[in-house]
Amino acid sequence: MPSLTARAFQSLMHTAFAGRMAKEEGDLRKALRLSRRPGSGEPPASLFKRFAVEVRQAGEHRVFTVRPKDNGPVRGQILYLPGGGYVNPPSFLHWRFIAKLVKTLGATCTVPLYPLAPEHECDVGIGFAGEVYRRLVEEHGARTILVMGDSAGGGLALAMLQQTRIAPAGLILDAPWLDASVCDPSQVEIERGEFLLNRFTLRTWGGWWGGSRDLRDPLISPLFGDLSQLPPTLMFCGSADILVADARRLAAAAPDRVRYIEEEGLMHVYPLLPFLPEARRAWLEIGKFADDRLGQRPPGV
């Protein structure tokens, strides 16, 4: 059963958002314009005060590297690919989560603001993420890197690894969107209680990201791609999340490589919400996974 805090928060969210999900493509494009207002996706000023932040321009897009401010020892690298349906920039919740990754895990975190749909399609976005990943591998070695992504960022992470065929030390997925066709029968019933995502929205965003490709093409639906090289993986999802169907299928496809944690009744990307007890449990698991894959934390972390 969800914690009292989770139940109260999700009830509030359901009241605020239920019935407001888009049912036409025009509504999604209007919402997209609002999410792309000046300054959207930018890290908060507090991030620059608390950490050493490097901003690198890669073509038309930027790559942020966040590390401890004192430039003390770190035990590894994290490539974080934020979600947003392949159409929205990172939110403040992403940047807060990234800050905690750096502080708690004693690692450097690289965050590429990858090309978004509908202006760009998946081959461009995957190629950009892949170049950032290859650069990290060349500089630090694959065995020092954790790749992490939430929602669409999780789908991008898996698709990118399938394309590069370079296995990192580990992969962490938070409610990954792995099937753009949203074809699992269980999602019909789950959608009835959803207040953030629905099948129409996901298929529309997936179509923008995929362009002329079929929605089950592994570039946009990596669940149907080659899973034989999947690295050790830690994955989270809530049972009230429409994307739980994707998480369950990936866990079933690779039970020897995926540690899957499903929280009953929890919403989409719940580990990003620091005030939830369930999110605090997820952090304990992330810490254990990082310890196992990267070694012990530097002194003082």
Side-chain angles (χ1 to χ4, degrees):
M1 178 180 293
S3 65
L4 180 60
T5 303
R7 279 180 282 162
F9 178 73
Q10 292 180 171
S11 177
L12 180 65
M13 293 287 285
H14 192 276
T15 300
F17 292 104
R20 295 176 57 184
M21 285 189 286
K23 296 181 175 60
E24 297 182 1
E25 186 171 349
D27 293 334
L28 288 176
R29 291 188 179 274
K30 180 180 179 180
L32 185 60
R33 288 192 294 271
L34 292 175
S35 75
R36 301 269 191 91
R37 287 178 291 189
S40 60
E42 294 290 323
S46 60
L47 192 78
F48 293 87
K49 294 178 180 177
R50 296 173 57 203
F51 301 96
V53 182
E54 173 190 329
V55 186
R56 176 171 65 87
Q57 194 72 28
E60 298 179 359
H61 304 277
R62 289 172 297 162
V63 179
F64 290 83
T65 301
V66 186
R67 57 174 55 90
K69 195 162 190 176
D70 60 4
N71 284 320
V74 297
R75 59 168 167 172
Q77 308 291 317
I78 298 172
L79 172 62
Y80 192 94
L81 300 173
Y86 298 120
V87 301
N88 294 303
S91 71
F92 76 95
L93 288 173
H94 288 114
W95 290 114
R96 177 181 289 177
F97 190 85
I98 289 159
K100 189 169 182 178
L101 285 173
V102 176
K103 181 179 179 180
T104 304
L105 300 186
T108 294
C109 194
T110 298
V111 187
L113 301 192
Y114 54 87
L116 298 174
E119 296 87 354
H120 304 280
E121 295 181 5
C122 59
D123 52 340
V124 177
I126 293 171
F128 182 81
E131 285 304 310
V132 174
Y133 178 53
R134 287 188 183 93
R135 178 169 173 165
L136 284 174
V137 170
E138 290 171 1
E139 293 177 350
H140 304 283
R143 307 316 299 170
T144 70
I145 301 172
L146 295 179
V147 175
M148 187 170 188
D150 68 275
S151 197
L156 175 57
L158 184 53
M160 181 272 292
L161 292 177
Q162 289 173 349
Q163 293 300 303
T164 61
R165 296 186 177 274
I166 304 172
L171 174 64
I172 303 176
L173 300 174
D174 177 8
W177 182 19
L178 306 176
D179 175 8
S181 72
V182 202
C183 67
D184 191 275
S186 68
Q187 291 173 303
V188 177
E189 181 60 32
I190 295 171
E191 184 183 66
R192 300 181 197 279
E194 262 278 15
F195 51 82
L196 291 177
L197 297 169
N198 63 12
R199 289 172 295 155
F200 169 77
T201 295
L202 291 169
R203 287 171 182 157
T204 303
W205 286 346
W208 292 351
W209 182 244
S212 61
R213 292 175 177 82
D214 184 90
L215 288 178
R216 291 170 65 95
D217 187 306
L219 283 181
I220 53 174
S221 296
L223 183 67
F224 306 118
D226 180 11
L227 300 176
S228 65
Q229 302 302 311
L230 187 72
T233 299
L234 174 64
M235 179 167 61
F236 304 94
C237 204
S239 69
D241 183 345
I242 196 170
L243 297 184
V244 74
D246 295 15
R248 289 169 178 170
R249 285 181 286 169
L250 180 63
D256 57 327
R257 282 162 286 156
V258 178
R259 172 164 167 70
Y260 175 44
I261 298 169
E262 182 175 308
E263 288 281 2
E264 179 186 355
L266 264 288
M267 62 184 285
H268 187 51
V269 295
Y270 74 86
L272 295 185
L273 303 172
F275 51 85
L276 297 182
E278 293 85 352
R280 292 194 286 274
R281 288 201 292 265
W283 269 106
L284 293 176
E285 294 292 339
I286 291 170
K288 292 175 185 176
F289 186 77
D291 290 345
D292 180 55
R293 304 312 305 166
L294 299 179
Q296 293 303 307
R297 306 175 198 193
V301 174

